[in-house]
Amino acid sequence: MRLFSYFRSSAAYRVRIALNLKGISCDQVPVHLGRGEQRRDDYRAINPQGLVPALEVEGKLLTQSLPIIEYLDEAHKEPPLLPADPLDRAYVRALALIIAADVHPIQNLRILNHLRDELGQDGAGVAAWYNHWIATGLRSFEAMIAADPRSGQFCFGDAPGLADLVLVPQVFNAGRYALDMSPYPTINRIVARCNDHPAFIAAHPANQPDSEPL
Ligand SMILES: N[C@@H](CCC(=O)N[C@@H](CS)C(=O)NCC(=O)O)C(=O)O
């Protein structure tokens, strides 16, 4: 198995946590997003979307972090990353998609580059955009997990799962422009718990083969 990854990529970070939780060892192939390696022809021949992560399994290439994680969960049952009950599964997927569908895509590197290079935003404008959309998503996420009795030590119950492994990288991203995290006490409690877990520690951007100073 080979994971095309970049230490700072939050979508790759999700997959790294899932691999670690499942105890799956995997070679990493670094794709340096800062140098634009994701746009090179040799990488586009692997993933035409020019994004990381991509996971090569048995000669097949999987893209998009959430389908990759669901593949890992289906192919390697223990520990499960989704609950068994269909209503609970829908709830956990909804938490994950608040971030993966409604926040992350509009604060990704190519969006920030476009804001700066094509739309003339300066650093302050880019930071304001970035923090506004992360805060919008985290507000909804916090309201849901604060109110729901299914929240435990983690977003769903007392074991880490899909919602946690999407949340933690997004909160890491929130540090980029020092978003005020004080309005999200439930998120902060759960993220602190995750950040003590060996699978999350090993997946952290600071602990990757291609890590650079954060
Ligand atoms: N929806 C995709 C998003 C992948 C994505 O946006 N990856 C980012 C890194 S977190 C990327 O490769 N960005 C390169 C760019 O913006 O040029 C997924 O979940 O895998």
Side-chain angles (χ1 to χ4, degrees):
M1 219 180 256
R2 291 199 305 164
L3 178 67
F4 294 85
S5 180
Y6 179 57
F7 74 106
R8 275 187 204 281
S9 159
S10 52
Y13 189 178
R14 297 170 192 159
V15 175
R16 296 195 301 256
I17 300 167
L19 287 163
N20 295 342
L21 285 170
K22 296 283 184 186
I24 301 169
S25 67
C26 177
D27 293 330
Q28 279 197 36
V29 183
V31 180
H32 199 296
L33 301 189
R35 293 192 204 119
E37 289 179 3
Q38 72 277 24
R39 294 188 291 274
R40 283 190 347 202
D41 289 347
D42 56 346
Y43 186 65
R44 281 198 192 272
I46 294 165
N47 179 3
Q49 229 191 336
L51 300 172
V52 295
L55 185 71
E56 188 187 78
V57 187
E58 296 169 12
K60 294 201 169 64
L61 208 276
L62 304 179
T63 60
Q64 291 288 343
S65 60
L66 264 51
I68 292 172
I69 291 163
E70 293 225 12
Y71 158 75
L72 292 171
D73 204 33
E74 287 166 11
H76 305 266
K77 298 285 183 206
E78 295 298 329
L81 300 177
L82 280 165
D85 179 81
L87 285 173
D88 293 339
R89 292 166 79 82
Y91 168 68
V92 169
R93 286 189 174 114
L95 288 174
L97 286 172
I98 287 175
I99 290 168
D102 296 338
V103 175
H104 176 266
I106 52 174
Q107 48 91 100
N108 193 5
L109 179 64
R110 59 185 176 168
I111 306 302
L112 305 186
N113 287 344
H114 189 78
L115 284 171
R116 196 185 53 238
D117 301 339
E118 309 299 327
L119 301 179
Q121 293 298 312
D122 60 10
V126 171
W129 169 281
Y130 191 85
N131 278 349
H132 173 76
W133 293 115
I134 297 178
T136 302
L138 293 186
R139 208 160 33 242
S140 314
F141 200 110
E142 172 72 25
M144 284 175 68
I145 59 171
D148 200 292
R150 292 170 289 187
S151 304
Q153 290 182 45
F154 295 93
C155 289
F156 184 92
D158 291 329
L162 180 69
D164 305 289
L165 55 83
V166 176
L167 176 63
V168 166
Q170 190 61 57
V171 170
F172 172 79
N173 279 357
R176 179 174 181 155
Y177 293 114
L179 178 70
D180 174 15
M181 289 297 295
S182 62
Y184 320 112
T186 320
I187 289 176
N188 291 335
R189 173 179 64 73
I190 289 171
V191 169
R193 178 77 182 78
C194 290
N195 283 336
D196 273 343
H197 189 295
F200 288 75
I201 293 170
H204 191 276
N207 300 328
Q208 303 314 303
D210 60 333
S211 293
E212 294 169 9
L214 295 172

